[in-house]
Amino acid sequence: MSRQVQGYVYLALAMLTVGSTVIASKLIASGLPPFTATALRFALAFPVLLVLMRASGVRLPKLSRHDRLILVVQAGAGSVGYTTLLISGLSLSSAADAGVVIGTLPVVSAGISILLLRERPGRGLLLAVALAMAGVLSIAVTPGAAGGSLAGNLLIFCAVVCEGLFILLNKRLKADIPPLAQSTLMAGIGFVVAVIPAAFAAPVTPDIPASAIIAVVYYALVPTVGGFLLWYAGAARVSGTEAALFTAVAPVCAVMLAFLILGEPIGLNQIAGIACVLAAVLGLAFAGSRAAMNISGGR
C-alpha cells in the first residue's frame, strides 16, 4: 500500500469519528453546558495522550513563535470552537439537521485550502469533490431535513467553519511535529482554553443523564484521541485539497448513526448520497494506487 493510499485510509477513519461527534454532541446537549462538556472532554483525553506519548518515546520539537500561534488557533477554533458550537446548535436542532449542515464541510475546507494554501487542484480531484458534494446534496434534499431551528443550524455551520480551519491549518506549521505530540498539544491547549469559560457556566446538577456522561467519555477517547491521531497521520501523506474531499465522509456517517442509534429514518436519498461519497473516496484511492504502480514500473 502506497503512502498516499495509507493517507486516504487514515482520513476516512478520522472522518468517521467526526461524524459520530454529531450523535455524541446531541446526547451531551441534553445534560451538560457546552464549555463544561468540552473541558471534561480534554481533561479525559489529555492524560491518555500524555501516556501514549511517553510510552512511544515521542518528543516535542522546538517550536517557533509562529508555530505556537498556529497551534493555539487550531486548538481554539477546531477543538474548542467546533465542540461548543456543535453542542450548542444541537440543543436547538436535531441530529439529522446537523448531518445536513456539516455536509458543507467539503466545500468550506476546500475553499480554505485553496485560499490559504494556494493549492491548484487537478481536474480529477475536482471531479471527485463534485461527486462527493453530489452525495451530500442528495442527503440535504431529504424531505423534512430543513425543518430545524435556523439559529441551531447557523451555530452548527459556524462549527463547520471552525473544523475546516482546524484540519487545514496543519499545513501552515513549519516544524515537523509528530502526530501524537500534536494531538497531545491540541488536547492540552484545548483544555486550558475551555476551562476558563466553563468556570462561569451554569453549575452541573446531580441529575445529569447517564447518556450525556457516556457521550463525553466516548468523545474524549474515540474522536479526540483516535480521531486526532488518524487525521494528522493522514494529512501528512496527502494535499490539503485531497484531505478536504474526505470530509464528505462525516455527514454520511452522521446520517447512518442517527438512524442506528437515534432511530431517525433513512430513505433512498440518503442511500444515494452514501453511494456517491463512497464512490468518490474509492475512486480517488484507486487513482492514487494506480499512480504509485506506474511510478514503480517506471523504475
Side-chain angles (χ1 to χ4, degrees), residues 7-234:
Y8 295 157
V9 173
Y10 292 147
L11 293 173
L13 292 174
M15 285 298 102
L16 288 177
T17 70
V18 171
S20 71
T21 63
V22 173
I23 309 303
S25 297
K26 181 65 177 178
L27 297 174
I28 292 169
S30 65
L32 287 170
F35 281 106
T36 301
T38 302
L40 287 174
R41 169 196 174 191
F42 292 121
L44 291 170
F46 183 58
V48 175
L49 290 167
L50 276 178
V51 170
L52 291 174
M53 187 173 170
R54 181 177 294 273
S56 60
V58 175
R59 294 184 178 274
L60 184 67
K62 186 176 181 180
L63 300 174
S64 65
R65 180 178 299 179
H66 170 270
D67 284 351
R68 290 197 296 267
L69 178 61
I70 291 293
L71 289 171
V72 171
V73 174
Q74 273 191 298
S79 299
V80 177
Y82 175 82
T83 307
T84 55
L85 287 169
L86 185 60
I87 294 174
S88 299
L90 280 164
S91 67
L92 302 172
S93 295
S94 68
D97 294 330
V100 172
V101 175
I102 67 172
T104 62
L105 187 53
V107 174
V108 172
S109 298
I112 294 173
S113 177
I114 294 172
L115 291 175
L116 297 186
L117 307 184
R118 299 175 183 176
E119 295 184 356
R120 301 288 183 180
R123 292 182 180 179
L125 184 57
L126 289 176
L127 179 60
V129 172
L131 184 57
M133 283 308 304
V136 170
L137 290 175
S138 179
I139 296 172
V141 299
T142 302
S149 163
L150 177 60
N153 290 340
L154 181 60
L155 287 171
I156 296 168
F157 180 76
C158 290
V160 168
V161 175
C162 288
E163 182 69 8
L165 288 171
F166 172 73
I167 60 181
L168 293 173
L169 276 175
N170 194 54
K171 296 289 184 180
R172 285 296 192 181
L173 290 170
K174 296 180 180 179
D176 186 15
I177 306 176
L180 181 55
Q182 193 165 357
S183 301
T184 306
L185 283 172
M186 289 294 99
I189 298 172
F191 173 75
V192 173
V193 173
V195 75
I196 299 174
F200 298 95
V204 178
T205 59
D207 57 343
I208 302 174
S211 58
I213 300 297
I214 294 173
V216 170
V217 175
Y218 168 83
Y219 206 150
L221 298 181
V222 180
T224 305
V225 176
F228 274 163
L229 295 176
L230 288 167
W231 182 264
Y232 284 127

